[in-house]
Amino acid sequence: MAEQYLLLIDKSVAKDIQDLQLRQYKQVVAKIISLGTEPRQQDCKALKGIEGSYRADQGEFRILYYIQEATAEQLGQVQIFRVGKRNDDEVYRNL
């Protein structure tokens, strides 16, 4: 059985994805949910300069997140801290 991770979603991310069109919303939410079982998917890449952070692409959107590995006392965590369009690099501003 695959290891489960606790998904933490920042309030700003929840607000941003609520504003998406239905089709885009479903795609992004499905990708976020899949990160809870497999945070290092084939299409993910580590972000330079921010240890433990990664990005994953879904359609025209980029999802930025941190991974905290499990310890004996607690589950591993995936914290989604930014979702934005891939083509304008706005997702990387103010990191």
Side-chain angles (χ1 to χ4, degrees):
M1 187 171 136
E3 185 177 348
Q4 291 284 356
Y5 287 79
L6 179 64
L7 278 175
L8 304 172
I9 300 173
D10 288 359
K11 287 182 182 181
S12 62
V13 171
K15 181 185 176 298
D16 289 343
I17 63 176
Q18 284 178 351
D19 295 337
L20 297 177
Q21 294 177 4
L22 182 59
R23 181 176 178 204
Q24 295 167 334
Y25 175 84
K26 287 180 180 180
Q27 289 177 338
V28 170
V29 169
K31 184 67 166 191
I32 289 172
I33 291 171
S34 73
L35 293 172
T37 55
E38 184 58 49
R40 290 183 184 88
Q41 299 176 2
Q42 185 176 5
D43 68 340
C44 84
K45 293 190 178 178
L47 293 178
K48 295 178 183 175
I50 307 174
E51 189 175 333
S53 63
Y54 295 84
R55 71 169 170 86
D57 297 337
Q58 179 58 51
E60 61 185 84
F61 291 89
R62 188 156 282 160
I63 301 165
L64 306 183
Y65 58 98
Y66 299 111
I67 300 173
Q68 182 179 18
E69 293 301 329
T71 63
E73 297 84 31
Q74 89 181 48
L75 285 173
Q77 296 180 354
V78 174
Q79 180 183 359
I80 312 297
F81 66 91
R82 182 90 41 99
V83 172
K85 287 201 169 216
R86 291 170 50 185
N87 59 358
D88 63 7
D89 288 334
E90 183 180 324
V91 72
Y92 295 114
R93 292 192 186 122
N94 300 323
L95 284 183

